[in-house]
Amino acid sequence: MKTSERKVISNRKNAQKSTGPRSELGRLRSRRNALRHGLAIAIGSDPSFSEDIESLATTLASGRAGQIVQEFARQVAEAHLDLVRIRQLRAERLVAVVGNPDVKLEDYSELNNNLAQLERYESRAFSRRKRALLALSKQ
Amino acid sequence: MVRAVVRRSAITVPPALVPLFNQPPLVGEEKREDYEKLFLAIVATIKPSDTVVWLLARDFADLTWEIAREKRLKTQLIKLTEFDVVSKLVSPITPTFLPPDMSIGMGKKLAKQWAGDPKARQSVINKLADKGYDASDISTLAMNRAAPEIEVIDRRIGTYELRRIAAMKAIEQYSEASARRLAAASTDVIEGEFTEAVE
């Protein structure tokens, strides 16, 4: 269902009111968000991925001309590489439990909490790629 | 049963994607060879003709792999909880003058026999029966205890399954024929029921 014009305007207006965390502790905590797993940093702004993104975007756009195609191809590449890095991170976190002979029941609950943190990033990356793929397929 | 036959020589990953496919997200003792077999089976079924379809095929493989891993994780959790339940049920009551660790240690020893030593298992089963517990009680107690974590794992499996369906739909946007072939063979591919014919 398409969001109504009125709703869009209202969302924008409300977003202007948002100032993020206000308390000193909240600001300190949010400042450290990106350092925990690096996923809060957009993959496109991470120089260690720029070469991979460019290379994949070029492959995706090959045979098709136009700046719009390049832009959508880049969006697909960014979202796909984001999914790849999230899955790598998930695998790293699973090592603590999968096949560990000394695993304890508490480790499962910790793992589930850890994976839930990654899930929201994966869900966003998946939606971003879906939208970009749809846009690319229409070009 | 229809089986997808994978011929390695017939499949060539586009060179630009090789570095990207170089590091499948494996965990612990998972074998790269097994992952590649799964991926090859999917690729052999889809026959990607476009870079996007190659990416989606990889996605389909990753998700299939992760679903299987989550199912193993669930089984591992249930077994561990059963072990814990048995070790508590067979723990002797510790006299107050002894540290409680002693009874826990004894319980774990008996639970290890129950889990891994077929000969000693029966004597532990008898001990449990003396206390009024049978195999179904152990399963029920374990499932109750692990229920919150099992629910989270089940939710993850559900999410990955939905994403896999979404990947299949996205393949359909690019190549209807590929998606049709994948849908027809997906039971084989998903359950890993394929044979490999290396030329």
Side-chain angles (χ1 to χ4, degrees):
Chain A
M1 196 169 66
K2 199 168 177 270
T3 317
S4 71
E5 188 91 4
R6 211 171 128 222
K7 186 79 190 157
V8 170
I9 293 166
S10 151
N11 284 345
R12 278 194 193 135
K13 223 166 143 189
N14 287 333
Q16 295 299 316
K17 288 182 204 159
S18 170
T19 56
R22 288 173 195 195
S23 73
E24 202 46 47
L25 190 68
R27 285 175 193 271
L28 191 71
R29 203 181 291 145
S30 74
R31 209 173 293 151
R32 297 184 59 82
N33 279 350
L35 301 175
R36 250 183 291 161
H37 40 57
L39 294 176
I41 303 167
I43 195 165
S45 330
D46 188 338
S48 60
F49 283 96
S50 56
E51 207 178 299
D52 293 336
I53 291 170
E54 284 314 316
S55 157
L56 183 57
T58 308
T59 312
L60 287 165
S62 67
R64 286 181 263 196
Q67 205 167 350
I68 295 174
V69 169
Q70 299 284 337
E71 178 51 32
F72 288 141
R74 193 185 156 80
Q75 284 177 18
V76 172
E78 281 185 9
H80 187 81
L81 286 164
D82 218 4
L83 285 172
V84 171
R85 80 169 166 165
I86 292 165
R87 283 176 193 161
Q88 289 291 353
L89 259 171
R90 181 159 57 225
E92 282 168 27
R93 292 185 177 189
L94 277 156
V95 170
V97 169
V98 174
N100 175 4
D102 302 319
V103 69
K104 295 182 191 78
L105 287 174
E106 307 85 74
D107 296 335
Y108 280 89
S109 138
E110 201 184 323
L111 174 77
N112 283 341
N113 290 337
N114 275 333
L115 296 186
Q117 284 175 0
L118 297 183
E119 172 51 35
R120 65 195 177 110
Y121 291 101
E122 187 171 13
S123 163
R124 283 181 205 159
F126 201 84
S127 301
R128 274 202 325 270
R129 193 189 60 180
K130 191 176 163 186
R131 277 197 302 274
L133 275 174
L134 191 65
L136 187 65
S137 74
K138 286 179 181 166
Q139 294 307 308
Chain B
M1 184 194 293
V2 181
R3 281 167 184 264
V5 178
V6 181
R7 287 187 188 86
R8 269 180 208 268
S9 61
I11 293 162
T12 317
V13 177
L17 297 182
V18 172
L20 189 62
F21 290 175
N22 229 359
Q23 274 191 310
L26 303 179
V27 176
E29 293 183 350
E30 290 174 355
K31 288 185 190 141
R32 168 128 196 204
E33 196 190 329
D34 294 337
Y35 177 89
E36 295 301 344
K37 269 186 196 171
L38 172 72
F39 180 56
L40 286 178
I42 290 165
V43 165
T45 309
I46 296 177
K47 298 184 179 68
S49 53
D50 184 292
T51 314
V52 172
V53 181
W54 272 101
L55 289 184
L56 293 167
R58 192 67 173 184
D59 214 36
F60 195 93
D62 280 357
L63 290 162
T64 303
W65 189 261
E66 296 204 78
I67 289 166
R69 178 195 292 147
E70 291 288 346
K71 286 179 180 170
R72 285 198 305 274
L73 193 68
K74 193 163 99 172
T75 310
Q76 190 188 319
L77 169 62
I78 292 169
K79 278 188 182 163
L80 183 69
T81 317
E82 280 181 347
F83 177 88
D84 205 56
V85 164
V86 170
S87 76
K88 288 207 166 73
L89 290 179
V90 294
S91 286
I93 297 162
T94 321
T96 46
F97 55 86
L98 287 175
D101 285 3
M102 277 191 77
S103 69
I104 293 168
M106 175 61 88
K108 278 194 174 162
K109 193 181 158 193
L110 290 169
K112 264 186 193 162
Q113 290 176 353
W114 173 83
D117 183 349
K119 279 185 193 165
R121 186 181 167 90
Q122 192 52 49
S123 93
V124 181
I125 289 173
N126 293 343
K127 272 193 177 67
L128 287 166
D130 289 345
K131 293 188 175 193
Y133 300 106
D134 62 15
S136 72
D137 294 323
I138 292 159
S139 294
T140 311
L141 287 167
M143 291 299 277
N144 279 342
R145 198 152 163 229
E149 307 311 331
I150 290 174
E151 205 182 309
V152 177
I153 296 175
D154 279 340
R155 262 205 306 273
R156 273 204 302 271
I157 293 174
T159 305
Y160 300 162
E161 279 172 349
L162 285 176
R163 285 191 187 140
R164 192 168 58 180
I165 293 169
M168 207 190 305
K169 281 189 178 161
I171 290 172
E172 207 175 332
Q173 273 171 18
Y174 281 83
S175 165
E176 220 174 287
S178 294
R180 245 197 333 266
R181 281 195 296 271
L182 184 59
S186 57
T187 314
D188 271 6
V189 172
I190 290 167
E191 302 304 329
E193 288 282 334
F194 56 87
T195 52
E196 187 188 20
V198 182
E199 284 188 345

